[in-house]
Each structure stands twice: as structure tokens, then as C-alpha cells.
């Protein structure tokens, strides 16, 4: 399995490609990483050092890989946080280039906009770019509750509302692919106070995965779950199986991180959770 991953990079800690790449490699995938920034650490610390790369530099790297004749073997493109419109256009250039070489390749878009505790944290124009350009090109989307509400205009306070939002977002995706949505960080009126849900749809049936809520606030978990969901969807062809595998692995990773009291997710120390989760969760039709 070969995955082109276009995301940010940090030298210290695990967000963006630094969160997504190793789990994919640990599972046996070859990752062709293109970094959109190189920072000392994630911006949640309040200060950092490093550089933001231009959209042209990303395009150049995509074209350089294409010149090696690699893209007919590329199974998927994965993208996360988009720092600027030029980066967004470069990602779409990558998707077009890969699909030209391999029409069966999938594009997984993690439409990063913000979260309930932070609000919107992307630059002006990025939300519109995701809605009008990136998502219509995507086969798989992995928004959190805050993001799917922003993208669809639908309230997810109830399970019925969340289902309607998934259906609406699904209708926005690339119509030649599986049109798969994974909704993460979901808490509805039916979610117990000590739990958190994830939701997907397959063959017309919704499936919900519920895990215990962990009292932990770290960066990079969303990047990891998008990568894991993509990997298991590619491997199995099933959104439900991908939900179960990714959800179980992320719970194990976050549990290990909480037990260690770490501010950074323990991507390396907890790597066995990616291949053999210590606790497995089953998704149920809902």
C-alpha cells in the first residue's frame, strides 16, 4: 500500500505527518510524505520556530514524485490542515495528478477547520475552499462534530441530526468513489456523559462506535485517526471495519498517553496499539 500524505510537520511531538506517517508505516504502508510546514513544535504551545512552505514548493515535490513514475502505484492521497489557499490548490493538483496515473486511487480529506473548544482556527477562505473544492474531490472525509456542523449547516446535538449531517456531507463528496464519511468527536443527546462516539454509514446503514471518554487534551489525535481509517478502508473496503480498527487503536493510544501524563501523544511508545489494540470496540447499527 502506497499513500501520498500532504500535511504539516513538527520536529518535536506528533501532529500532521508526524502523527499520521508512523502509524501507517507500522501497519506496513509506504508513505510518501510532503510537508507543508516544518515547525519545531505544534502551535498549541503558543510559540514555535520554523518555516511555512509555499504551494509551489508542494507542487514541485508532487511533480518530482510523478517524474519517478510512482503514481500508478499510489493507492491514496491523504490531506489534513490546510495553511493557505495555495496549499489547498497544490493538494488538489496532487489528487488530479495521482488519479490521472491511477484512476482507482482514493483521496481522504480531513477537513480541518476547528473544534468546539477552540472555534475556527484556519485562515479566512480555507473553510470555503474545503467546501467547494476539496470535499467534492474527496472519496473519504473525516470531520469532527464542529467541522461537519460548519460544512453542512446542520446541528448534531441529536443522533438524528448527526445522521442527516453525514448524509449531506456524503452528497458533497466525489461521486465516482465510495463517498465515505467518518464523523469523530461526536456527543449527542444519546451519548452517555462518560463516553464519546464516532459515526459512519455503509450500504445505507449507520454504524456507531462508542468508547469511554478520556480526560485528556492533546494535539494530533485527529491526524492519526484519519490515517488509520484510510488505511483500514483501503485494506478491507469496509467503512465499518475501518471504524472499528481505527477507533480501537486511537482509544489505546490515548489511554496510554493519559496514563503517562504526556502532553504529546505517545505515537512511538504505544505503537502496538496500531497493530494489536489492547481493547477492541465493536460498531453497532443505529
Amino acid at each position: 500500500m502506497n499513500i501520498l500524505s500532504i500535511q504539516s510537520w513538527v520536529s518535536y511531538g506528533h501532529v500532521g505527518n508526524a502523527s499520521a506517517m508512523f502509524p501507517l508505516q507500522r501497519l506496513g504502508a509506504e508513505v510518501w510524505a510532503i510537508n507543508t510546514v516544518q515547525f519545531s513544535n505544534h502551535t498549541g504551545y503558543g510559540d514555535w520556530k520554523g518555516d511555512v512552505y509555499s504551494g509551489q514548493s508542494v507542487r514541485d515535490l508532487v511533480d518530482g514524485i510523478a517524474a519517478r513514475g510512482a503514481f500508478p502505484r499510489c493507492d491514496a492521497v491523504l490531506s489534513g490542515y490546510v495553511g493557505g489557499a495555495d496549499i489547498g490548490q497544490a493538494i488538489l493538483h496532487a489528487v488530479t495528478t495521482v488519479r490521472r496515473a491511477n484512476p482507482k486511487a482514493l483521496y481522504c480529506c480531513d477537513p480541518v477547520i476547528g473544534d468546539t473548544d477552540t472555534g475556527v482556527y484556519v485562515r479566512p477562505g480555507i473553510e470555503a475552499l474545503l467546501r467547494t473544492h476539496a470535499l467534492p474531490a474527496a472519496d473519504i472525509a473525516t470531520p469532527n462534530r464542529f467541522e461537519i456542523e460548519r460544512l453542512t449547516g446542520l446541528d448534531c446535538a441529536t443522533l438524528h441530526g448527526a445522521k442527516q449531517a453525514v448524509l449531506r456531507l456524503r452528497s458533497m463528496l466525489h461521486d465516482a468513489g465510495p463517498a465515505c464519511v467518518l464523523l469523530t468527536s461526536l456527543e449527542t443527546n444519546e451519548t452517555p456523559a462518560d463516553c464519546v462516539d464516532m459515526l459512519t454509514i455503509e450500504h445505507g446503514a449507520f454504524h456507531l462506535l462508542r468508547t469511554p471518554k478520556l480526560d485528556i487534551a492533546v494535539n494530533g489525535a485527529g491526524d492519526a485517526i484519519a490515517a488509520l481509517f484510510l488505511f483500514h478502508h483501503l485494506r478491507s473496503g469496509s467503512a465499518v471495519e475501518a471504524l472499528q480498527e481505527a477507533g480501537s487503536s486511537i482509544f489505546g493510544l490515548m489511554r496510554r498517553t493519559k496514563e503517562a501524563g504526556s502532553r504529546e501523544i505517545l505515537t512511538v511508545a504505544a505503537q502496538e496499539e496500531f497493530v494489536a489494540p489492547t481493547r477492541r470496540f465493536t460498531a453497532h447499527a443505529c
Side-chain angles (χ1 to χ4, degrees):
M1 189 184 298
N2 301 301
I3 297 173
L4 176 65
S5 183
I6 307 175
Q7 302 194 55
S8 59
W9 179 265
V10 292
S11 299
Y12 174 79
H14 298 282
V15 301
N17 267 336
S19 177
M21 187 165 67
F22 180 71
L24 291 170
Q25 292 172 323
R26 185 65 179 82
L27 286 163
E30 188 72 38
V31 182
W32 304 332
I34 294 179
N35 301 327
T36 57
V37 308
Q38 178 145 319
F39 287 166
S40 55
N41 50 269
H42 68 70
T43 58
Y45 285 97
D47 63 283
W48 62 93
K49 303 293 185 182
D51 296 312
V52 177
Y53 300 139
S54 68
Q56 187 58 54
S57 68
V58 172
R59 283 174 174 263
D60 288 344
L61 292 174
V62 170
D63 293 343
I65 297 172
R68 304 284 70 77
F71 286 152
R73 307 191 309 277
C74 184
D75 298 292
V77 179
L78 172 64
S79 71
Y81 176 83
V82 177
D86 61 333
I87 295 293
Q89 293 300 327
I91 291 169
L92 293 171
H93 168 70
V95 173
T96 300
T97 303
V98 168
R99 281 191 175 139
R100 188 181 301 122
N102 178 13
K104 294 182 179 180
L106 300 182
Y107 170 35
C108 178
C109 174
D110 183 10
V112 177
I113 297 171
D115 213 335
T116 52
D117 58 340
T118 61
V120 174
Y121 53 68
V122 293
R123 293 179 178 176
I126 297 303
E127 189 173 341
L129 183 146
L130 291 169
R131 185 183 294 107
T132 60
H133 296 290
L135 288 168
D139 302 289
I140 300 172
T142 59
N144 61 31
R145 175 184 166 176
F146 177 83
E147 290 157 351
I148 202 169
E149 289 181 335
R150 297 280 304 190
L151 290 165
T152 65
L154 297 176
D155 189 348
C156 295
T158 66
L159 182 57
H160 174 74
K163 290 179 178 179
Q164 294 306 304
V166 167
L167 289 173
R168 181 169 295 183
L169 187 63
R170 192 180 183 216
S171 71
M172 297 164 60
L173 300 183
H174 188 230
D175 57 11
C180 176
V181 174
L182 170 67
L183 173 53
T184 67
S185 303
L186 178 63
E187 295 181 48
T188 72
N189 62 327
E190 298 185 25
T191 310
D194 59 349
C195 293
V196 64
D197 297 334
M198 288 186 281
L199 181 70
T200 194
I201 184 172
E202 184 171 63
H203 305 311
F206 285 96
H207 286 77
L208 188 83
L209 186 79
R210 178 165 291 163
T211 60
K213 183 188 293 185
L214 297 170
D215 184 19
I216 182 174
V218 292
N219 297 69
D223 304 316
I225 197 165
L228 289 165
F229 185 80
L230 171 61
F231 175 89
H232 289 294
H233 195 289
L234 285 169
R235 179 188 57 79
S236 68
S238 167
V240 175
E241 184 169 342
L243 169 61
Q244 294 178 153
E245 292 293 334
S248 298
S249 290
I250 285 294
F251 176 81
L253 171 63
M254 299 302 285
R255 179 185 60 81
R256 290 279 303 274
T257 300
K258 181 180 185 299
E259 289 172 352
S262 174
R263 183 169 180 179
E264 298 286 348
I265 54 175
L266 299 183
T267 304
V268 176
Q271 62 183 275
E272 287 304 315
E273 297 291 343
F274 304 135
V275 294
T278 52
R279 184 174 176 184
R280 290 192 173 272
F281 296 89
T282 301
H284 298 282
C286 63

